[in-house]
Coordinates of all heavy atoms in Angstrom, one line a residue:
M185 N -11.0 -7.6 9.8 CA -10.3 -6.6 10.6 C -10.9 -5.3 10.3 O -11.1 -4.9 9.2 CB -8.8 -6.6 10.3 CG -8.0 -7.8 10.7 SD -6.3 -7.7 10.4 CE -6.2 -7.3 8.7
E186 N -11.1 -4.5 11.3 CA -11.6 -3.1 11.1 C -10.7 -2.1 11.8 O -10.2 -2.3 12.9 CB -13.0 -3.1 11.8 CG -13.7 -1.7 11.6 CD -15.1 -1.7 12.2 OE1 -15.8 -2.8 12.1 OE2 -15.4 -0.7 12.7
V187 N -10.4 -1.1 11.0 CA -9.5 0.0 11.5 C -10.3 0.7 12.6 O -11.4 1.2 12.3 CB -9.0 0.9 10.4 CG1 -8.2 2.0 11.0 CG2 -8.3 0.2 9.3
H188 N -9.7 0.8 13.8 CA -10.4 1.4 14.9 C -9.9 2.8 15.2 O -10.7 3.7 15.5 CB -10.2 0.5 16.1 CG -10.8 1.0 17.4 ND1 -12.2 1.3 17.5 CD2 -10.3 1.3 18.6 CE1 -12.4 1.7 18.7 NE2 -11.3 1.7 19.4
H189 N -8.6 3.0 15.0 CA -8.0 4.3 15.4 C -6.7 4.5 14.5 O -5.9 3.7 14.4 CB -7.7 4.3 16.8 CG -7.2 5.6 17.4 ND1 -8.1 6.6 17.6 CD2 -6.0 6.1 17.8 CE1 -7.4 7.7 18.1 NE2 -6.2 7.3 18.2
I190 N -6.6 5.7 13.9 CA -5.5 6.1 13.1 C -4.9 7.4 13.6 O -5.7 8.4 13.7 CB -5.8 6.2 11.6 CG1 -6.3 4.8 11.1 CG2 -4.5 6.6 10.8 CD1 -6.7 4.9 9.6
T191 N -3.6 7.5 13.9 CA -3.0 8.8 14.2 C -1.8 8.9 13.3 O -1.6 8.1 12.4 CB -2.5 8.8 15.7 OG1 -1.4 7.9 15.8 CG2 -3.7 8.5 16.6
Q192 N -1.0 10.0 13.5 CA 0.2 10.1 12.7 C 1.2 9.1 13.0 O 2.1 8.7 12.2 CB 0.9 11.5 13.0 CG 0.1 12.7 12.4 CD 0.8 14.0 12.6 OE1 1.8 14.1 13.4 NE2 0.3 15.0 12.1
N193 N 1.2 8.5 14.2 CA 2.2 7.6 14.7 C 1.8 6.2 15.0 O 2.6 5.3 15.4 CB 2.9 8.2 15.9 CG 3.4 9.6 15.6 OD1 2.8 10.5 16.0 ND2 4.5 9.7 14.9
S194 N 0.5 5.9 14.9 CA 0.0 4.6 15.2 C -1.3 4.2 14.5 O -2.0 5.0 14.0 CB -0.3 4.5 16.7 OG -1.3 5.3 17.1
L195 N -1.5 2.9 14.4 CA -2.7 2.3 13.9 C -3.3 1.3 14.9 O -2.5 0.6 15.5 CB -2.4 1.5 12.6 CG -1.8 2.3 11.4 CD1 -1.3 1.3 10.4 CD2 -2.8 3.3 10.8
E196 N -4.6 1.2 14.9 CA -5.2 0.2 15.8 C -6.3 -0.5 15.1 O -7.2 0.2 14.4 CB -5.7 0.9 17.1 CG -6.2 -0.1 18.1 CD -6.5 0.7 19.4 OE1 -5.5 1.2 20.1 OE2 -7.7 0.8 19.7
F197 N -6.3 -1.8 15.1 CA -7.3 -2.6 14.4 C -8.0 -3.4 15.5 O -7.5 -3.9 16.4 CB -6.6 -3.6 13.5 CG -5.9 -3.0 12.4 CD1 -4.6 -2.6 12.5 CD2 -6.5 -2.9 11.1 CE1 -3.9 -2.1 11.5 CE2 -5.8 -2.3 10.1 CZ -4.5 -1.9 10.2
T198 N -9.3 -3.7 15.2 CA -10.0 -4.6 16.0 C -10.3 -5.9 15.2 O -10.5 -5.8 14.0 CB -11.4 -4.1 16.6 OG1 -12.1 -3.6 15.5 CG2 -11.1 -2.9 17.5
I199 N -10.4 -7.0 15.8 CA -10.6 -8.3 15.2 C -11.8 -8.9 15.6 O -12.1 -9.0 16.8 CB -9.4 -9.3 15.5 CG1 -8.1 -8.6 15.1 CG2 -9.6 -10.6 14.8 CD1 -6.9 -9.4 15.7
D200 N -12.7 -9.3 14.7 CA -13.9 -10.0 15.0 C -13.5 -11.4 15.6 O -12.8 -12.2 14.9 CB -14.7 -10.2 13.8 CG -16.1 -10.8 14.1 OD1 -16.3 -11.5 15.1 OD2 -17.0 -10.6 13.2
S201 N -13.9 -11.7 16.8 CA -13.5 -13.0 17.4 C -14.0 -14.2 16.7 O -13.5 -15.3 16.9 CB -13.9 -13.0 18.9 OG -15.3 -12.9 19.0
S202 N -15.0 -14.0 15.8 CA -15.5 -15.2 15.1 C -14.5 -15.7 14.0 O -14.7 -16.7 13.5 CB -16.9 -14.8 14.4 OG -16.7 -13.8 13.4
F203 N -13.5 -14.9 13.7 CA -12.5 -15.3 12.8 C -11.7 -16.4 13.3 O -11.1 -17.2 12.6 CB -11.5 -14.2 12.4 CG -12.1 -13.0 11.6 CD1 -11.5 -11.8 11.6 CD2 -13.3 -13.2 10.9 CE1 -12.0 -10.8 10.8 CE2 -13.8 -12.2 10.1 CZ -13.2 -11.0 10.1
G204 N -11.6 -16.5 14.7 CA -10.8 -17.6 15.3 C -9.6 -16.9 15.9 O -9.5 -15.7 16.2
R205 N -8.6 -17.8 16.2 CA -7.3 -17.3 16.9 C -6.4 -16.7 15.9 O -6.2 -17.2 14.8 CB -6.7 -18.6 17.5 CG -5.4 -18.3 18.2 CD -4.7 -19.6 18.7 NE -4.3 -20.4 17.6 CZ -3.1 -20.3 17.0 NH1 -2.3 -19.4 17.3 NH2 -2.8 -21.1 16.0
L206 N -5.8 -15.5 16.2 CA -4.8 -14.9 15.4 C -3.5 -15.8 15.4 O -2.9 -15.9 16.4 CB -4.5 -13.5 15.9 CG -3.5 -12.7 15.1 CD1 -4.0 -12.4 13.7 CD2 -3.1 -11.4 15.8
A207 N -3.2 -16.3 14.2 CA -2.0 -17.2 14.2 C -0.8 -16.4 13.8 O 0.3 -16.7 14.3 CB -2.3 -18.3 13.1
S208 N -0.9 -15.4 13.0 CA 0.3 -14.6 12.6 C -0.1 -13.3 11.9 O -1.2 -13.2 11.4 CB 1.3 -15.4 11.7 OG 0.7 -15.6 10.4
L209 N 0.9 -12.4 12.0 CA 0.8 -11.1 11.2 C 1.9 -11.1 10.3 O 3.0 -11.4 10.6 CB 0.9 -9.9 12.2 CG -0.3 -9.6 13.0 CD1 0.0 -8.4 13.9 CD2 -1.5 -9.2 12.2
E210 N 1.6 -10.7 9.0 CA 2.6 -10.7 8.0 C 2.5 -9.4 7.2 O 1.6 -8.6 7.4 CB 2.5 -11.9 7.1 CG 2.5 -13.2 7.8 CD 2.1 -14.4 7.0 OE1 1.8 -14.2 5.8 OE2 2.1 -15.5 7.5
C211 N 3.4 -9.3 6.2 CA 3.3 -8.2 5.2 C 3.7 -6.9 5.7 O 3.6 -5.9 5.0 CB 1.9 -8.1 4.5 SG 1.3 -9.5 3.7
M212 N 4.3 -6.8 6.9 CA 4.7 -5.5 7.4 C 6.2 -5.4 7.3 O 6.9 -6.4 7.3 CB 4.3 -5.4 8.9 CG 2.8 -5.3 9.1 SD 2.4 -5.1 10.9 CE 3.1 -6.6 11.6
D213 N 6.7 -4.2 7.2 CA 8.2 -4.0 7.1 C 8.7 -4.2 8.5 O 8.0 -4.3 9.5 CB 8.6 -2.6 6.6 CG 8.2 -1.5 7.5 OD1 8.0 -1.7 8.7 OD2 8.1 -0.4 6.9
N214 N 10.0 -4.4 8.6 CA 10.7 -4.8 9.9 C 10.4 -3.7 11.0 O 10.3 -4.1 12.2 CB 12.2 -5.0 9.7 CG 12.4 -6.2 8.9 OD1 11.6 -7.2 8.9 ND2 13.6 -6.3 8.3
T215 N 10.4 -2.5 10.6 CA 10.2 -1.4 11.6 C 8.8 -1.6 12.3 O 8.7 -1.5 13.5 CB 10.3 0.0 11.0 OG1 11.5 0.1 10.3 CG2 10.1 1.1 12.0
A216 N 7.8 -1.8 11.5 CA 6.4 -1.9 12.0 C 6.3 -3.2 12.9 O 5.7 -3.2 13.9 CB 5.4 -1.9 10.9
Q217 N 7.0 -4.3 12.5 CA 6.9 -5.5 13.2 C 7.5 -5.4 14.6 O 7.0 -6.1 15.5 CB 7.6 -6.6 12.4 CG 6.8 -7.1 11.2 CD 7.5 -8.2 10.5 OE1 8.7 -8.5 10.8 NE2 6.8 -8.8 9.6
Q218 N 8.4 -4.5 14.8 CA 9.0 -4.4 16.1 C 8.1 -3.6 17.1 O 8.4 -3.7 18.3 CB 10.3 -3.6 16.0 CG 11.4 -4.3 15.2 CD 12.6 -3.5 14.9 OE1 12.7 -2.4 15.4 NE2 13.5 -4.0 14.1
H219 N 7.1 -3.0 16.6 CA 6.2 -2.2 17.5 C 4.8 -2.6 17.5 O 3.9 -1.8 17.4 CB 6.4 -0.7 17.1 CG 7.8 -0.2 17.2 ND1 8.4 0.0 18.4 CD2 8.7 0.0 16.2 CE1 9.7 0.4 18.2 NE2 9.9 0.4 16.9
V220 N 4.5 -3.9 17.5 CA 3.2 -4.5 17.4 C 2.8 -5.0 18.8 O 3.5 -5.7 19.4 CB 3.1 -5.6 16.4 CG1 1.7 -6.2 16.4 CG2 3.4 -5.1 15.0
D221 N 1.6 -4.5 19.3 CA 1.1 -5.1 20.5 C -0.3 -5.7 20.2 O -1.1 -5.1 19.5 CB 0.8 -3.9 21.5 CG 2.1 -3.3 22.0 OD1 3.1 -4.0 22.3 OD2 2.2 -2.1 22.0
I222 N -0.5 -6.9 20.7 CA -1.8 -7.6 20.5 C -2.3 -7.9 21.9 O -1.7 -8.5 22.7 CB -1.6 -8.9 19.7 CG1 -0.9 -8.6 18.4 CG2 -2.9 -9.6 19.5 CD1 -0.5 -9.9 17.6
F223 N -3.6 -7.3 22.1 CA -4.2 -7.5 23.3 C -5.7 -7.8 23.1 O -6.4 -7.1 22.4 CB -4.1 -6.2 24.2 CG -4.7 -6.4 25.6 CD1 -4.1 -7.1 26.5 CD2 -5.9 -5.8 25.8 CE1 -4.7 -7.2 27.8 CE2 -6.5 -5.9 27.1 CZ -5.9 -6.6 28.1
D224 N -6.2 -8.9 23.6 CA -7.5 -9.4 23.3 C -7.8 -9.4 21.8 O -7.1 -10.1 21.1 CB -8.6 -8.5 24.0 CG -8.6 -8.8 25.5 OD1 -8.2 -9.9 25.9 OD2 -8.9 -7.9 26.3
N225 N -8.7 -8.6 21.3 CA -9.0 -8.6 19.9 C -8.5 -7.3 19.2 O -9.1 -6.8 18.3 CB -10.5 -8.8 19.7 CG -11.0 -10.2 20.0 OD1 -10.2 -11.1 20.1 ND2 -12.2 -10.3 20.2
T226 N -7.4 -6.8 19.7 CA -6.9 -5.5 19.2 C -5.5 -5.6 18.8 O -4.7 -6.2 19.6 CB -7.1 -4.4 20.3 OG1 -8.4 -4.3 20.6 CG2 -6.6 -3.0 19.8
I227 N -5.1 -5.1 17.6 CA -3.8 -5.1 17.2 C -3.4 -3.6 17.1 O -4.1 -2.8 16.5 CB -3.6 -5.7 15.7 CG1 -4.0 -7.1 15.7 CG2 -2.2 -5.5 15.2 CD1 -4.2 -7.7 14.3
R228 N -2.3 -3.2 17.8 CA -1.9 -1.8 17.8 C -0.4 -1.8 17.3 O 0.4 -2.5 17.8 CB -1.9 -1.2 19.2 CG -1.5 0.2 19.2 CD -1.8 0.8 20.6 NE -1.1 2.1 20.8 CZ -1.6 3.2 20.3 NH1 -2.8 3.2 19.6 NH2 -1.0 4.4 20.5
I229 N -0.2 -1.0 16.3 CA 1.1 -0.8 15.7 C 1.5 0.7 16.0 O 0.8 1.6 15.6 CB 1.2 -1.0 14.2 CG1 0.6 -2.4 13.9 CG2 2.6 -0.8 13.6 CD1 0.4 -2.6 12.4
S230 N 2.6 0.8 16.7 CA 3.0 2.2 17.2 C 4.4 2.6 16.6 O 5.1 1.8 16.0 CB 3.0 2.3 18.7 OG 3.9 1.3 19.2
E231 N 4.8 3.8 17.0 CA 6.1 4.3 16.6 C 6.3 4.4 15.1 O 7.4 4.1 14.6 CB 7.3 3.6 17.3 CG 7.2 3.7 18.8 CD 8.4 3.2 19.5 OE1 9.5 3.3 19.0 OE2 8.2 2.6 20.6
L232 N 5.2 4.7 14.4 CA 5.3 4.9 12.9 C 5.5 6.3 12.6 O 5.3 7.2 13.4 CB 4.0 4.4 12.3 CG 3.6 3.0 12.5 CD1 2.2 2.7 12.0 CD2 4.6 2.1 11.8
E233 N 6.0 6.6 11.4 CA 6.1 7.9 10.8 C 4.8 8.4 10.2 O 4.0 7.6 9.8 CB 7.2 8.0 9.8 CG 8.6 7.6 10.3 CD 9.2 8.7 11.2 OE1 8.9 9.9 11.0 OE2 9.8 8.3 12.2
P234 N 4.6 9.7 10.2 CA 3.4 10.2 9.5 C 3.4 9.8 8.0 O 4.4 9.6 7.4 CB 3.5 11.7 9.6 CG 4.3 12.0 10.8 CD 5.3 10.8 10.8
S235 N 2.2 9.5 7.5 CA 2.0 9.1 6.1 C 2.7 7.8 5.8 O 3.2 7.6 4.6 CB 2.5 10.2 5.1 OG 1.8 11.4 5.3
T236 N 2.8 6.9 6.7 CA 3.3 5.6 6.5 C 2.3 4.6 6.0 O 1.2 4.5 6.6 CB 3.9 5.0 7.8 OG1 4.9 5.9 8.3 CG2 4.5 3.6 7.6
L237 N 2.6 4.0 4.8 CA 1.7 3.0 4.2 C 2.0 1.6 4.8 O 3.1 1.2 4.7 CB 1.8 3.0 2.7 CG 0.8 2.1 1.9 CD1 -0.6 2.7 2.1 CD2 1.3 2.1 0.5
I238 N 1.0 1.0 5.4 CA 1.2 -0.3 6.1 C 0.2 -1.3 5.5 O -1.0 -1.1 5.4 CB 1.0 -0.2 7.6 CG1 2.0 0.7 8.2 CG2 1.0 -1.6 8.2 CD1 3.4 0.1 8.4
S239 N 0.7 -2.4 5.0 CA -0.1 -3.6 4.6 C 0.0 -4.6 5.7 O 1.1 -5.1 6.0 CB 0.3 -4.1 3.3 OG 0.0 -3.2 2.3
I240 N -1.2 -5.1 6.2 CA -1.2 -6.1 7.2 C -1.9 -7.3 6.7 O -3.0 -7.2 6.2 CB -1.9 -5.6 8.5 CG1 -1.1 -4.4 9.0 CG2 -2.0 -6.7 9.5 CD1 -1.7 -3.8 10.3
C241 N -1.3 -8.4 6.8 CA -1.9 -9.7 6.5 C -2.0 -10.5 7.8 O -1.0 -10.8 8.4 CB -1.1 -10.5 5.5 SG -0.9 -9.7 3.9
A242 N -3.3 -10.7 8.2 CA -3.5 -11.5 9.4 C -4.0 -12.9 9.0 O -4.8 -13.0 8.2 CB -4.5 -10.8 10.3
V243 N -3.4 -13.9 9.7 CA -3.7 -15.3 9.4 C -4.5 -15.7 10.7 O -3.9 -15.7 11.8 CB -2.5 -16.1 9.1 CG1 -2.9 -17.6 8.9 CG2 -1.7 -15.6 8.0
F244 N -5.7 -16.2 10.5 CA -6.5 -16.7 11.6 C -6.7 -18.2 11.5 O -6.8 -18.8 10.4 CB -7.9 -16.0 11.6 CG -7.8 -14.6 11.9 CD1 -7.7 -13.7 10.8 CD2 -7.8 -14.1 13.2 CE1 -7.7 -12.3 11.0 CE2 -7.7 -12.7 13.4 CZ -7.7 -11.8 12.3
E245 N -6.7 -18.9 12.6 CA -6.9 -20.3 12.7 C -8.2 -20.6 13.4 O -8.4 -20.1 14.5 CB -5.7 -21.0 13.3 CG -5.8 -22.5 13.3 CD -6.5 -23.1 14.5 OE1 -6.4 -22.5 15.6 OE2 -7.1 -24.2 14.4
K246 N -9.0 -21.4 12.8 CA -10.3 -21.8 13.5 C -10.6 -23.3 13.1 O -10.7 -23.6 11.9 CB -11.4 -20.9 13.1 CG -12.7 -21.2 13.8 CD -13.8 -20.2 13.5 CE -15.0 -20.4 14.3 NZ -16.0 -19.4 14.0
N247 N -10.6 -24.2 14.1 CA -10.9 -25.6 13.8 C -10.0 -26.2 12.8 O -10.4 -27.0 12.0 CB -12.4 -25.8 13.4 CG -13.4 -25.2 14.4 OD1 -13.1 -25.3 15.6 ND2 -14.5 -24.7 13.9
G248 N -8.7 -25.8 12.9 CA -7.7 -26.4 12.0 C -7.7 -25.8 10.6 O -6.8 -26.2 9.8
N249 N -8.5 -24.8 10.3 CA -8.5 -24.2 9.0 C -7.9 -22.8 9.2 O -8.1 -22.1 10.2 CB -10.0 -24.0 8.5 CG -10.6 -25.4 8.2 OD1 -10.0 -26.2 7.6 ND2 -11.8 -25.5 8.6
F250 N -7.2 -22.3 8.2 CA -6.5 -21.0 8.2 C -7.2 -20.1 7.2 O -7.5 -20.5 6.0 CB -5.0 -21.2 7.9 CG -4.3 -21.9 9.0 CD1 -4.2 -23.3 9.0 CD2 -3.7 -21.2 10.0 CE1 -3.5 -23.9 10.0 CE2 -3.1 -21.8 11.1 CZ -3.0 -23.2 11.1
E251 N -7.4 -18.9 7.6 CA -7.9 -17.8 6.7 C -7.0 -16.6 6.7 O -6.6 -16.2 7.8 CB -9.3 -17.4 7.0 CG -10.4 -18.5 6.8 CD -11.8 -18.0 6.9 OE1 -12.1 -17.0 6.2 OE2 -12.5 -18.5 7.7
N252 N -6.8 -16.0 5.6 CA -6.0 -14.8 5.5 C -6.9 -13.6 5.2 O -7.8 -13.6 4.4 CB -5.0 -14.9 4.3 CG -4.0 -16.0 4.5 OD1 -3.6 -16.3 5.6 ND2 -3.7 -16.7 3.4
F253 N -6.5 -12.5 5.9 CA -7.2 -11.2 5.7 C -6.1 -10.2 5.5 O -5.2 -10.1 6.2 CB -8.1 -10.8 6.9 CG -9.2 -11.8 7.1 CD1 -9.1 -12.9 7.9 CD2 -10.5 -11.5 6.5 CE1 -10.2 -13.8 8.1 CE2 -11.5 -12.4 6.7 CZ -11.4 -13.5 7.5
E254 N -6.3 -9.3 4.5 CA -5.4 -8.3 4.2 C -6.0 -6.9 4.3 O -7.1 -6.7 3.8 CB -4.7 -8.5 2.9 CG -3.6 -7.5 2.6 CD -2.9 -7.7 1.3 OE1 -2.9 -8.8 0.8 OE2 -2.2 -6.8 0.9
K255 N -5.3 -5.9 4.9 CA -5.8 -4.6 4.9 C -4.6 -3.7 4.8 O -3.6 -3.9 5.3 CB -6.5 -4.3 6.3 CG -6.9 -3.0 6.6 CD -8.3 -2.6 6.4 CE -9.4 -3.4 6.9 NZ -10.7 -2.9 6.5
T256 N -4.8 -2.6 3.9 CA -3.7 -1.6 3.7 C -4.3 -0.3 4.2 O -5.4 0.1 3.8 CB -3.3 -1.5 2.2 OG1 -2.9 -2.8 1.8 CG2 -2.2 -0.5 2.0
V257 N -3.5 0.4 5.0 CA -3.9 1.7 5.6 C -2.7 2.6 5.6 O -1.6 2.2 5.4 CB -4.5 1.6 7.0 CG1 -5.8 0.8 7.0 CG2 -3.6 0.9 7.9
I258 N -3.0 3.9 5.8 CA -1.9 4.9 5.9 C -2.1 5.7 7.2 O -3.2 6.0 7.5 CB -1.8 5.7 4.6 CG1 -0.6 6.6 4.6 CG2 -3.1 6.6 4.5 CD1 -0.3 7.2 3.3
T259 N -1.0 6.0 7.9 CA -1.1 6.9 9.0 C -1.4 8.3 8.6 O -1.2 8.7 7.4 CB 0.2 6.9 9.9 OG1 1.3 7.3 9.0 CG2 0.4 5.5 10.5
K260 N -1.9 9.1 9.5 CA -2.3 10.5 9.1 C -1.1 11.3 8.7 O 0.0 11.0 9.2 CB -3.0 11.2 10.3 CG -4.4 10.7 10.6 CD -5.0 11.5 11.7 CE -6.5 11.1 11.8 NZ -7.1 11.8 12.9
S261 N -1.3 12.2 7.9 CA -0.2 13.1 7.4 C 0.1 14.1 8.5 O -0.7 14.5 9.2 CB -0.6 13.8 6.1 OG 0.3 14.8 5.8
A262 N 1.4 14.6 8.4 CA 1.8 15.7 9.3 C 1.4 17.1 8.7 O 1.5 18.1 9.4 CB 3.3 15.6 9.6
S263 N 0.9 17.1 7.5 CA 0.5 18.3 6.8 C -0.7 18.9 7.5 O -1.6 18.2 8.0 CB 0.2 18.0 5.3 OG -0.4 19.1 4.7
S264 N -0.7 20.2 7.5 CA -1.9 20.9 8.0 C -3.1 20.8 7.1 O -4.2 21.0 7.5 CB -1.6 22.4 8.2 OG -1.4 23.0 6.9
G265 N -2.9 20.5 5.8 CA -4.0 20.4 4.9 C -4.3 21.7 4.2 O -5.1 21.7 3.3
D266 N -3.7 22.8 4.6 CA -3.9 24.1 4.0 C -3.4 24.1 2.6 O -2.3 23.6 2.4 CB -3.3 25.2 4.8 CG -3.9 25.4 6.2 OD1 -5.0 24.9 6.4 OD2 -3.2 25.9 7.1
I267 N -4.1 24.7 1.7 CA -3.7 24.8 0.3 C -3.4 26.3 0.1 O -4.3 27.2 0.3 CB -4.7 24.3 -0.7 CG1 -5.0 22.8 -0.5 CG2 -4.3 24.7 -2.1 CD1 -6.1 22.3 -1.3
R268 N -2.2 26.7 -0.2 CA -1.9 28.1 -0.4 C -1.6 28.3 -1.9 O -0.8 27.5 -2.5 CB -0.6 28.4 0.4 CG -1.0 28.3 1.9 CD 0.1 28.8 2.7 NE -0.3 28.6 4.1 CZ 0.6 28.6 5.1 NH1 1.8 28.8 4.9 NH2 0.1 28.4 6.3
V269 N -2.2 29.3 -2.5 CA -2.1 29.5 -3.9 C -1.2 30.8 -4.1 O -1.4 31.8 -3.4 CB -3.5 29.8 -4.5 CG1 -3.3 30.1 -6.0 CG2 -4.3 28.5 -4.3
Y270 N -0.2 30.6 -4.9 CA 0.7 31.8 -5.2 C 0.7 32.0 -6.7 O 0.7 31.1 -7.4 CB 2.1 31.4 -4.7 CG 2.3 31.2 -3.2 CD1 2.2 29.9 -2.7 CD2 2.4 32.3 -2.4 CE1 2.3 29.7 -1.3 CE2 2.6 32.1 -1.0 CZ 2.5 30.8 -0.5 OH 2.6 30.6 0.9
F271 N 0.7 33.3 -7.0 CA 0.8 33.6 -8.4 C 2.1 34.3 -8.7 O 2.6 35.2 -7.9 CB -0.3 34.6 -8.8 CG -1.7 33.9 -8.7 CD1 -2.5 34.1 -7.6 CD2 -2.2 33.1 -9.7 CE1 -3.7 33.5 -7.5 CE2 -3.4 32.5 -9.6 CZ -4.2 32.7 -8.5
N272 N 2.8 34.0 -9.8 CA 4.1 34.6 -10.1 C 3.9 35.6 -11.3 O 4.8 36.2 -11.7 CB 5.2 33.6 -10.4 CG 4.8 32.7 -11.5 OD1 3.7 32.8 -12.2 ND2 5.6 31.7 -11.8
N273 N 2.6 35.8 -11.7 CA 2.3 36.8 -12.7 C 1.0 37.5 -12.2 O 0.3 37.0 -11.4 CB 2.0 36.1 -14.1 CG 3.3 35.5 -14.7 OD1 4.3 36.2 -14.8 ND2 3.2 34.3 -15.1
S274 N 0.8 38.6 -12.8 CA -0.5 39.3 -12.5 C -1.7 38.5 -13.0 O -1.6 37.7 -13.9 CB -0.5 40.7 -13.1 OG -0.4 40.6 -14.5
V275 N -2.8 38.7 -12.4 CA -4.0 38.0 -12.7 C -5.0 38.9 -13.3 O -5.3 40.0 -12.8 CB -4.6 37.3 -11.4 CG1 -5.9 36.6 -11.7 CG2 -3.6 36.4 -10.7
D276 N -5.6 38.5 -14.4 CA -6.6 39.3 -15.1 C -8.0 39.0 -14.5 O -8.5 37.9 -14.6 CB -6.6 38.9 -16.6 CG -7.6 39.8 -17.4 OD1 -8.4 40.6 -16.8 OD2 -7.7 39.6 -18.6
T277 N -8.5 39.9 -13.7 CA -9.8 39.6 -13.0 C -11.0 40.0 -13.8 O -12.1 39.9 -13.3 CB -9.8 40.4 -11.6 OG1 -9.6 41.8 -11.9 CG2 -8.7 39.9 -10.7
S278 N -10.8 40.5 -15.0 CA -11.9 40.9 -15.8 C -12.8 39.7 -16.2 O -13.9 39.8 -16.7 CB -11.5 41.6 -17.1 OG -10.7 40.8 -17.9
F279 N -12.3 38.5 -16.1 CA -13.0 37.3 -16.5 C -14.0 36.8 -15.4 O -14.8 36.0 -15.6 CB -12.1 36.1 -16.8 CG -11.3 36.4 -18.1 CD1 -10.0 36.6 -18.0 CD2 -12.0 36.4 -19.3 CE1 -9.2 36.8 -19.2 CE2 -11.2 36.6 -20.5 CZ -9.9 36.8 -20.4
R280 N -13.8 37.3 -14.2 CA -14.7 36.9 -13.1 C -16.1 37.3 -13.3 O -16.4 38.3 -13.9 CB -14.1 37.3 -11.8 CG -14.3 38.7 -11.5 CD -13.8 39.0 -10.1 NE -13.8 40.5 -10.0 CZ -13.6 41.1 -8.9 NH1 -13.3 40.5 -7.8 NH2 -13.7 42.4 -8.8
K281 N -17.0 36.6 -12.8 CA -18.5 36.9 -12.9 C -19.0 37.7 -11.8 O -18.6 37.6 -10.7 CB -19.3 35.6 -13.0 CG -18.9 34.8 -14.2 CD -19.8 33.6 -14.3 CE -19.4 32.8 -15.6 NZ -20.2 31.6 -15.7

C-alpha cells in the first residue's frame, strides 16, 4: 500500500493489484471505518480530524493465500507551522557574534 494523498481530513492509499483481492480492512477505529470508500485499487478514508493517527491493516487474498499489510499514517495538522518565540525577561545580546 502506498499513501497517495494526505489532507487534514482524509487519507488516500493506492494498492498494487499484484497483491490480489482486498479481503478486509482492519485496525481502524469505528469513526474511520464508517467513512471508507474503496474504488478500484484506491482506499479513501474521509471525515477525519486534523492530526488523526490511523493504522490500517489490509488483508489481501490471492490464490487462496492471505497476506497482511500494515501502514500507520497521520493526517495533516491544522497548525500553521509558525514558531513564535516570546521572552519574559530581557535578553543579553552582548553574546552574539
Side-chain angles (χ1 to χ4, degrees):
M185 291 188 304
E186 184 175 322
V187 178
H188 178 58
H189 189 71
I190 299 175
T191 68
Q192 288 182 354
N193 307 99
S194 67
L195 301 169
E196 191 171 288
F197 297 85
T198 54
I199 303 167
D200 184 340
S201 60
S202 66
F203 291 160
R205 180 184 66 84
L206 180 64
S208 68
L209 284 176
E210 302 169 359
C211 302
M212 295 182 294
D213 66 24
N214 289 336
T215 303
Q217 286 181 349
Q218 293 173 8
H219 303 287
V220 175
D221 295 314
I222 301 172
F223 183 74
D224 288 333
N225 291 341
T226 302
I227 300 169
R228 181 173 170 80
I229 305 170
S230 59
E231 298 188 36
L232 299 171
E233 295 293 322
S235 302
T236 301
L237 186 66
I238 296 286
S239 291
I240 297 179
C241 296
V243 180
F244 296 93
E245 185 272 327
K246 185 173 183 178
N247 301 325
N249 297 315
F250 292 89
E251 289 192 57
N252 298 321
F253 293 90
E254 184 173 345
K255 174 98 45 185
T256 301
V257 294
I258 190 167
T259 57
K260 286 187 178 179
S261 170
S263 169
S264 67
D266 293 340
I267 298 174
R268 298 186 181 163
V269 180
Y270 297 95
F271 296 97
N272 57 5
N273 293 309
S274 61
V275 176
D276 183 356
T277 60
S278 65
F279 292 109
R280 73 178 174 170
K281 294 181 181 183

